[in-house]
Amino acid sequence: MRQATHTLTLQTTGKGLYECTPAVAAWVRDSGIETGLLTLFVQHTSASLLIQENADPDVREDLADFFTRLVPEGTTVYRHRSEGPDDMPAHVRSALTQAQLSLPVNEARPALGTWQGIFLFEHRNAPNRRRIVLHLIGE
């Protein structure tokens, strides 16, 4: 049994879904591990991780729009407003999604379905550098 770790850094330009499947798949391939379990963990409280459709960009736009309607910005219902009107809504959106994903690895590839991709979901309006820790265990 072997293990490998890596930190993937993504630059966002504001709210939205950013696909990181190619970078994750390349790292898994280069790790030399053929079969195992991949864990991804985002090191932020205002961004999250999703497995979602990667074929039609309308899906990403619709998801972002839905979360904007579900958790609106600029309202006075939040106590935490020290980092701007999008800060607490970003924390709520992150709480409704996931900070961690686990994926099987087969034949040195994440075992994703045909239309599935791995996405960082940025919940803040401003650009950010986001870190995703990758951990792979297997053989």
Side-chain angles (χ1 to χ4, degrees), residues 29-134:
R29 182 190 63 243
D30 294 345
S31 74
I33 296 175
E34 293 286 321
T35 304
L37 182 65
L38 172 64
T39 302
L40 299 90
F41 177 76
V42 63
Q43 294 183 306
H44 304 278
T45 59
S46 56
S48 55
L49 296 171
L50 296 176
I51 294 175
Q52 198 45 253
E53 179 179 326
N54 65 357
D56 186 349
D58 285 345
V59 172
R60 293 185 287 263
E61 296 293 323
D62 286 342
L63 278 170
D65 291 347
F66 172 79
F67 274 88
T68 297
R69 287 189 309 275
L70 184 65
V71 186
E73 297 174 9
T75 178
T76 58
V77 300
Y78 307 116
R79 286 185 276 287
H80 178 72
R81 293 185 292 241
S82 59
E83 296 179 45
D86 69 331
D87 187 36
M88 191 59 211
H91 292 299
V92 173
R93 292 177 191 132
S94 182
L96 293 172
T97 51
Q98 303 172 76
Q100 175 182 309
L101 299 173
S102 294
L103 295 167
V105 169
N106 293 320
E107 299 176 358
R109 293 190 321 254
L112 293 165
T114 302
W115 306 113
Q116 290 181 320
I118 303 166
F119 292 87
L120 172 81
F121 197 173
E122 174 63 65
H123 301 299
R124 297 297 305 265
N125 292 324
N128 283 288
R129 288 178 56 83
R130 300 301 195 176
R131 292 177 314 280
I132 303 170
V133 176
L134 309 177

